[in-house]
Amino acid sequence: MSEAPHLTFDLDTPGLSTGHLVVPKGSDCEALSLPVFSLNKGEGPRLLITGGNHGNELEGPIVARRLVEWLPEAQTCGRVIIVPEINPLAVQAWTRNTPIDGKNLNRVFPGRADGSATERIADAVSRLLLPMADTVFDLHSAGPTMDFPPAVITHPIADADLMAKTLRMAEAFKLPMTLVWQYHDTLGMFDTWAHSQGKVFICAEFGGGTVGAEALAIYEAGVRNALITLGLVEGEAEYPTFRQQKSSRTLETLSSDLLRSPTRGIFEPRRSVLDEVKQGDLIGVLHPMESLSADSIRVRAPTTSIVCMIRSGGHVDADEEIVYLARPLNL
């Protein structure tokens, strides 16, 4: 390792600054330079916004770059740091994981200074950017294979006060769904690490297979609502329109709410996100590929619930995730 991770400019400089977060080279690749935007307007909230954690979720980098365009005129106080692509190697390859080492950036935090490329990125972000913020918006989407409504996600947090603050911030986006997700694979997540540091961490999600103008507009409106609530910009927050409705609900999904494919085949969705289903209702059909004589398998709702994420069609392997269900959160 030739050098430590570093920024090419001082984040404490008043006003607008741009530069790079330099991730040192290792045995697997040369040094990486991640573009960083900083707008420091003195006292007030300290916010870090990141995109491109997963390289095949491009809504985040696009919305982050949109913010860079209008924030200089809109921000009234505090400090906002934006890194549109924290994993440029994955973004350039349009892959969820880093192609060089095959690692998922969102499973290696806080990273390792002497680790692989993905671990060195996490180390640089953990050491140099996360300490500068009280709140983090990590902009994701469900990627090219899942349909997911505009939503903000958090996981259960042991610290009740931090959980309450996080839920309030999540609901400030006014997106159609706020989801508390009891997820089975949280070790090494960016949000898990940020929570351990006492930070409010917001994971925004939006999926549907393609990057469209309507989805981006809703996503950006949600982020702007949150900036208004934080007091970083002025204005009146509004519920964005999704499928001709302006509303928001807070839900929870448990590990038991995940439905997996019983075999290999083509999954045909029969329900849309935010549809309410009763026990026994048809959610989708799995068409086996090996034989035309094999019966298609009907996937039905095990309980009365709400479809919060569903496979957007395509080939699936046995035991692959196809549907997540949810229900209203009882606070």
Side-chain angles (χ1 to χ4, degrees):
M1 209 68 62
S2 61
E3 58 182 10
H6 63 277
L7 288 156
T8 61
F9 67 102
D10 186 355
L11 290 174
D12 290 328
T13 300
L16 173 63
S17 303
T18 60
H20 292 84
L21 172 65
V22 178
V23 180
K25 69 178 182 179
S27 59
D28 50 2
C29 71
E30 292 298 313
L32 303 172
S33 293
L34 284 55
V36 178
F37 163 97
S38 173
L39 187 54
N40 183 0
K41 292 200 172 180
E43 294 295 321
R46 303 189 308 160
L47 174 66
L48 170 64
I49 299 176
T50 56
N53 192 321
H54 293 138
N56 62 352
E57 302 175 9
L58 298 182
E59 288 87 345
I62 293 171
V63 170
R65 289 182 178 273
R66 285 188 178 186
L67 297 177
V68 168
E69 293 177 359
W70 59 259
L71 258 182
E73 296 298 323
Q75 186 178 326
T76 59
C77 66
R79 176 165 59 195
V80 178
I81 301 168
I82 300 177
V83 189
E85 299 98 21
I86 58 171
N87 192 349
L89 296 171
V91 172
Q92 291 160 16
W94 200 63
T95 55
R96 178 178 175 84
N97 293 354
T98 310
I100 288 176
D101 57 15
K103 294 183 184 296
N104 181 342
L105 176 58
N106 209 29
R107 298 296 185 277
V108 301
F109 278 87
R112 289 173 48 203
D114 60 349
S116 67
T118 309
E119 293 168 323
R120 297 196 304 276
I121 292 172
D123 173 69
V125 171
S126 298
R127 283 208 270 167
L128 298 179
L129 297 181
L130 188 58
M132 307 300 289
D134 304 312
T135 304
V136 181
F137 296 168
D138 193 29
L139 309 182
H140 287 252
S141 68
T145 63
M146 301 294 284
D147 190 13
F148 197 70
V152 173
I153 291 177
T154 186
H155 303 297
I157 305 170
D159 183 328
D161 183 57
L162 184 58
M163 182 81 248
K165 289 179 181 177
T166 301
L167 269 178
R168 286 196 296 270
M169 191 71 260
E171 291 171 343
F173 279 68
K174 298 187 180 298
L175 292 179
M177 182 172 73
T178 295
L179 183 66
V180 178
W181 190 346
Q182 186 189 73
Y183 195 56
H184 64 281
D185 182 22
T186 58
L187 184 65
M189 278 186 161
F190 191 10
D191 50 348
T192 304
W193 179 246
H195 291 156
S196 74
Q197 307 299 302
K199 314 288 185 181
V200 172
F201 188 103
I202 297 300
C203 177
E205 293 267 5
F206 202 141
T210 58
V211 180
E214 180 184 19
L216 291 169
I218 295 173
Y219 207 151
E220 185 178 6
V223 175
R224 188 182 190 97
N225 284 341
L227 293 173
I228 291 170
T229 298
L230 276 173
L232 288 164
V233 303
E234 295 180 345
E236 185 173 341
E238 297 182 354
Y239 291 97
T241 301
F242 177 66
R243 296 182 180 172
Q244 300 181 329
Q245 293 186 354
K246 290 189 175 186
S247 62
S248 180
R249 63 178 89 180
T250 301
L251 308 175
E252 67 173 342
T253 183
L254 307 177
S255 298
S256 57
D257 291 318
L258 167 62
L259 304 185
R260 294 182 179 273
S261 173
T263 186
R264 298 176 68 241
I266 294 176
F267 180 70
E268 173 195 350
R270 291 289 184 90
R271 292 286 185 165
S272 299
V273 292
L274 298 183
D275 280 355
E276 297 184 8
V277 293
K278 296 180 180 179
Q279 183 177 9
D281 283 353
L282 182 64
I283 296 178
V285 180
L286 187 70
H287 303 286
M289 296 293 293
E290 285 74 14
S291 170
L292 289 175
S293 62
D295 291 335
S296 295
I297 300 170
R298 296 180 177 272
V299 179
R300 298 186 179 277
T303 61
T304 297
S305 49
I306 298 165
V307 177
C308 70
M309 181 160 55
I310 188 166
R311 186 85 179 198
S312 56
H315 184 269
V316 296
D317 289 323
D319 203 41
E320 195 167 343
E321 300 173 355
I322 52 175
V323 180
Y324 277 91
L325 302 173
R327 63 199 50 76
L329 175 65
N330 294 317
L331 295 174

